[in-house]
Amino acid sequence: MQKIWLDTDPGFDDWLAMLLLSANLDVEWLGVSVVAGNAPLSVTYDNALRIRKHYHLEVPVYAGCEAPLSGAVETAQCILGADGMDTTGEPLPTVDIGQVEREQEQQQKRSPLPHAVDALIEAVRRHPGQLTLMCIAPLTNIATALQRAPDIAAQIKEIILMGGSADQGNHTAAAEFNIYADPEAADIVFNAGVPLRMFGLNLCRQLLVTTTEVQQVRALGTLRAKWLAGYFEAYLRIRSPDGSVPMPMYDPAVAIYLRRPELFSFKPARVDIELQGKLTRGMTVCEFRVPRRAAANVEVAMTVDGERAMACMMQELLGTL
């Protein structure tokens, strides 16, 4: 059974990834660290706790870093809305954050709850060589953990992340959002010597959802399905007002990989993070001519059987609702 730690910034597609993790019986999900990304930390942490409570996810959630290692906070609220995820229906009910934290403190018999970075370091040290970090957000928490406790780099089994691109960007012409939001953190992670798999935009654009999937969720008729369907529909409308244009699945790609790795193909590469470029800051520069030109540091996801992967996602997702 794979031991997984999730680093996230919910976000609707993060929400889907969380539900897929909860449905995966081959995974032991040990914890969630939350970071600023899709929205400020106060919003992403609140979103994570709401998802945890209303979808009965029995996993501890910790608040992490609220700003990147360098520069100002960059969010995707201009696209995703003030809450980092919009809905066309009834919003996911709020939670009393203080009460949720007190409940977690009682469960873990510790008060106050540790910072997410400290909780992550503890988890790696408690399971040396066994813990895979599933990272679907800016990499600030991970880089901070590696800076604070350099010894854990040799103890992390693998990092699997949604971020970067082997071709064009999305937040800018050159850069994918998760990397752009904290490229200095990404540079630390990519050079830490930890085995790394990158699921970039080039891969995620092969995983497309349509109104058909929204209708499948809504047809279940449960309260949890009703909430999710409204957010799912709003997610589709990012690209077109009526949701008629298929939308890529980003963060769920990594969760699908954990369930069905045989659907994916990878290519080794040397991936470096552009930190200085006026037009290319945050770009993942992929050198595939390895080992001739450079030593590989990443396995880059290149192809996925999109139809089978999306069928897997929907089967697992519907089972949680």
Side-chain angles (χ1 to χ4, degrees):
M1 181 172 288
Q2 297 185 74
K3 299 182 187 300
I4 299 294
W5 183 281
L6 177 67
D7 190 71
T8 183
D9 61 339
F12 173 70
D13 56 340
D14 304 72
W15 181 354
L16 292 186
M18 293 169 76
L19 296 183
L20 294 176
L21 267 185
S22 72
N24 191 338
L25 300 180
D26 297 324
V27 160
E28 182 182 359
W29 188 7
L30 298 182
V32 178
S33 50
V34 183
V35 69
N38 284 322
L41 178 65
S42 60
V43 177
T44 58
Y45 182 51
D46 181 57
N47 287 345
L49 294 180
R50 289 157 67 199
I51 294 165
R52 176 185 182 271
K53 177 176 177 61
H54 297 303
Y55 287 79
H56 309 300
L57 306 181
E58 299 299 325
V59 59
V61 175
Y62 305 94
C65 297
E66 60 184 1
L69 298 185
S70 177
V73 174
E74 184 79 17
T75 76
Q77 290 167 293
C78 60
I79 297 171
L80 303 177
D83 290 337
M85 52 184 194
D86 277 336
T87 182
T88 61
E90 182 181 341
L92 193 61
T94 59
V95 296
D96 182 330
I97 292 179
Q99 180 181 343
V100 173
E101 290 181 335
R102 287 190 293 273
E103 291 172 354
Q104 286 197 152
E105 288 168 356
Q106 291 174 357
Q107 291 169 358
Q108 297 180 48
K109 297 181 174 58
R110 60 191 303 180
S111 179
L113 288 175
H115 188 279
V117 170
D118 295 321
L120 170 58
I121 292 169
E122 289 178 15
V124 173
R125 288 174 171 166
R126 192 163 57 248
H127 305 281
Q130 302 177 62
L131 189 58
T132 294
L133 309 187
M134 176 176 159
C135 305
I136 56 176
L139 291 165
T140 316
N141 284 338
I142 311 305
T144 303
L146 290 166
Q147 289 181 318
R148 191 174 297 175
D151 61 288
I152 68 170
Q155 300 178 62
I156 297 170
K157 180 180 180 181
E158 186 176 34
I159 293 174
I160 53 177
L161 68 90
M162 190 280 123
S165 179
D167 48 40
Q168 66 193 48
N170 63 352
H171 199 64
T172 71
E176 179 274 331
F177 172 77
N178 283 344
I179 304 299
Y180 183 87
D182 196 342
E184 281 76 18
D187 183 60
I188 289 170
V189 172
F190 276 64
N191 286 291
V194 179
L196 181 62
R197 291 185 187 271
M198 183 181 97
F199 296 77
L201 298 177
N202 57 295
L203 186 283
C204 299
R205 292 183 182 118
Q206 300 171 44
L207 296 168
L208 298 174
V209 294
T210 68
T211 54
T212 298
E213 285 74 31
V214 177
Q215 291 165 0
Q216 288 176 349
V217 171
R218 183 170 281 121
L220 288 179
T222 66
L223 183 57
R224 287 189 291 177
K226 179 183 177 182
W227 286 326
L228 192 70
Y231 286 91
F232 210 156
E233 186 171 60
Y235 179 78
L236 270 182
R237 292 184 181 182
I238 290 174
R239 279 197 164 181
S240 57
D242 61 355
S244 61
V245 178
M247 187 72 183
M249 281 281 92
Y250 299 109
D251 297 337
V254 191
I256 297 169
Y257 165 75
L258 285 174
R259 188 72 178 84
R260 297 292 302 276
E262 73 278 6
L263 300 181
F264 296 78
S265 73
F266 296 85
K267 190 173 182 180
R270 170 72 201 186
V271 179
D272 288 295
I273 312 300
E274 176 57 63
L275 301 179
Q276 302 299 327
K278 178 181 178 181
L279 300 177
T280 56
R281 177 169 165 81
M283 181 179 182
T284 41
V285 182
C286 299
E287 173 58 90
F288 288 106
R289 296 171 297 177
V290 296
R292 182 164 56 92
R293 291 294 183 92
N297 63 339
V298 178
E299 290 287 329
V300 178
M302 299 301 293
T303 66
V304 59
D305 185 329
E307 184 175 341
R308 292 170 66 194
M310 292 310 301
C312 171
M313 185 190 90
M314 292 307 299
Q315 180 180 359
E316 300 282 299
L317 180 63
L318 295 174
T320 69
L321 302 174

